[in-house]
Amino acid sequence: MASTPLGMYIHVPFCSRRCGYCAFNTYTLSEQSGSAQIHSDPIEQYLEGVLSEIALADESLGQNRPALHSIFFGGGTPTLLSAEQLGRILSAIVERFEVERDIEVTVEANPDELAPGQLEQLRHRGATRVSFGMQSVQPNILQLLDRTHDPERSLQAVSEARLAGFDHISLDLIYGTPGETEQDFSLTLEAALSTQIDHLSAYALSIEPSTKLAARVRSGALPTPSSDEAADRYLAAEAALQRAGFNWYEISNWAANPSAQCQHNLLYWRNHNWWGIGPGAHSHLDGHRWWNLDDPKLWAQTLSRGASPISGSERLTAEQRHLEDLMLGIRLAEGLPPHLAPRDHRTERLLNDGLATYQADRLVLTLNGRLLADQVISVLASD
Ligand SMILES: C[S@@+](CC[C@H](N)C(=O)[O-])C[C@H]1O[C@@H](n2cnc3c(N)ncnc32)[C@H](O)[C@@H]1O
Ligand code: SF4
């Protein structure tokens, strides 16, 4: 294995209710429960699968591997598992894998899915960072997005996480929801920044074809989000975050200081290595990618037979890896190193158009470039 850092992602494919905009591989527990099952509890069946897959990762990676740099419980809604259940997974990982001394362990959480004491217990069992899906502070937007929490709940969740001893707390926001006004989003930013977070992610609402929201847009019940409005919201986010002392380190991510940057997500953007555990999880090791069966029951049953849960794989060519390095790396404030963005006619064009600039010898997006990142990538990838 290459000496790049190694992370582990654990996908928890359950939510108490599906949000109409979300296309992630996630299921409600009632969708997953079946009386004819040997295991009628989908979470217990899932946990057995995760423990088997951790053992599989250990055997497959062999001993010549770096200590784990980060662990990320994503979803879905990882906090639908109890702290004891998430702790069982963490213990199984650290029993088999060496981990870096100051390893980052993130847990994604839905603000209104927390049991009393769950955050303290998670912190106690080794979680170092928590990320809440806040999305908006406006009731009408939360309702349109099918969120079940009231506006204050996300803000309370941040206070609870602080009290529980988390130093690293992030909020996710969504902007550009149909009907959202400039003021709706500025109130959302203000509310988010009034809390003790040290990290914020802000995503333009993406209309994913398979979702209920996409059907409402297709039927004309809701307008297509406007890209101009999304650009205005992005600029508002950048201005408010800068005023609050946050710096962007990836197009959609801002941190209050370098130690608040999400180490695990940096590993994706730097195209380093990670092993993904759980239904539908993707993995990457030195240009070899693979992904698991999506269906939680099929995934768990396959593992319980001692078979591989992988449903597909590909080995990237040098050209594909180069393109991925460009597409991912240009999103970062650290920019592209000279071997990916040498000074030539392409970068000259980006400099002339005000979309990128050189900081020392690295090519970095300007604010306009951040709004037009896809255009920048197509210029960099052109002949
Ligand atoms: C796995 S969820 C976070 C944890 C938890 N499931 C929740 O929603 O509160 C990850 C984040 O992806 C973002 N997201 C999901 N679907 C999106 C979409 N279609 N457009 C923009 N952001 C989206 C949301 O901001 C969400 O908080
Ligand atoms: S946004 Fe979060 S809570 Fe909503 S369906 Fe997706 S993963 Fe589940």
Side-chain angles (χ1 to χ4, degrees), residues 319-359:
E319 201 178 325
Q320 286 169 323
R321 286 194 81 177
H322 178 79
L323 185 61
E324 282 210 338
D325 285 343
L326 282 182
M327 290 171 62
L328 294 164
I330 195 64
R331 299 184 62 85
L332 291 168
E334 69 193 22
L336 292 174
H339 75 275
L340 290 173
R343 287 176 190 265
D344 62 12
H345 63 285
R346 290 170 285 234
T347 51
E348 193 60 30
R349 194 172 136 198
L350 295 173
L351 301 191
N352 286 339
D353 292 346
L355 297 177
T357 177
Y358 276 101
Q359 287 178 9

Side-chain angles (χ1 to χ4, degrees), residues 9 14-15 19 21-24 74-78 108-111 131-135 147 149 172-175 201 203-208 211 213:
Y9 173 76
F14 307 116
C15 290
C19 307
Y21 57 90
C22 178
F24 290 2
T77 306
E108 279 189 333
N110 188 329
S131 171
F132 295 110
M134 170 178 173
Q135 324 309 354
R147 302 296 293 190
H149 43 95
D172 290 340
L173 302 183
I174 288 183
Y175 57 86
S201 307
Y203 304 112
L205 178 67
S206 152
I207 305 294
E208 300 294 327
T211 59
L213 185 69

Side-chain angles (χ1 to χ4, degrees), residues 68-73 86 90 94 99-108 118-132 161-162 164-170 196 198-199 259-264:
L68 288 181
H69 180 65
S70 57
I71 298 174
F72 193 105
F73 290 90
L86 288 168
L90 259 182
V94 298
V99 302
E100 288 180 10
R101 200 170 49 82
D102 50 356
I103 185 171
E104 174 191 270
V105 180
T106 299
V107 178
E108 279 189 333
Q118 193 177 8
L119 288 168
E120 284 88 348
Q121 290 164 30
L122 278 175
R123 181 73 192 96
H124 181 67
R125 287 168 195 271
T128 64
R129 183 172 181 274
V130 63
S131 171
F132 295 110
R162 272 284 166 198
F166 281 94
D167 292 329
H168 298 305
I169 307 171
S170 182
Q196 287 179 292
D198 65 354
H199 187 281
S259 73
Q261 296 177 1
C262 177
Q263 291 302 308
H264 188 79

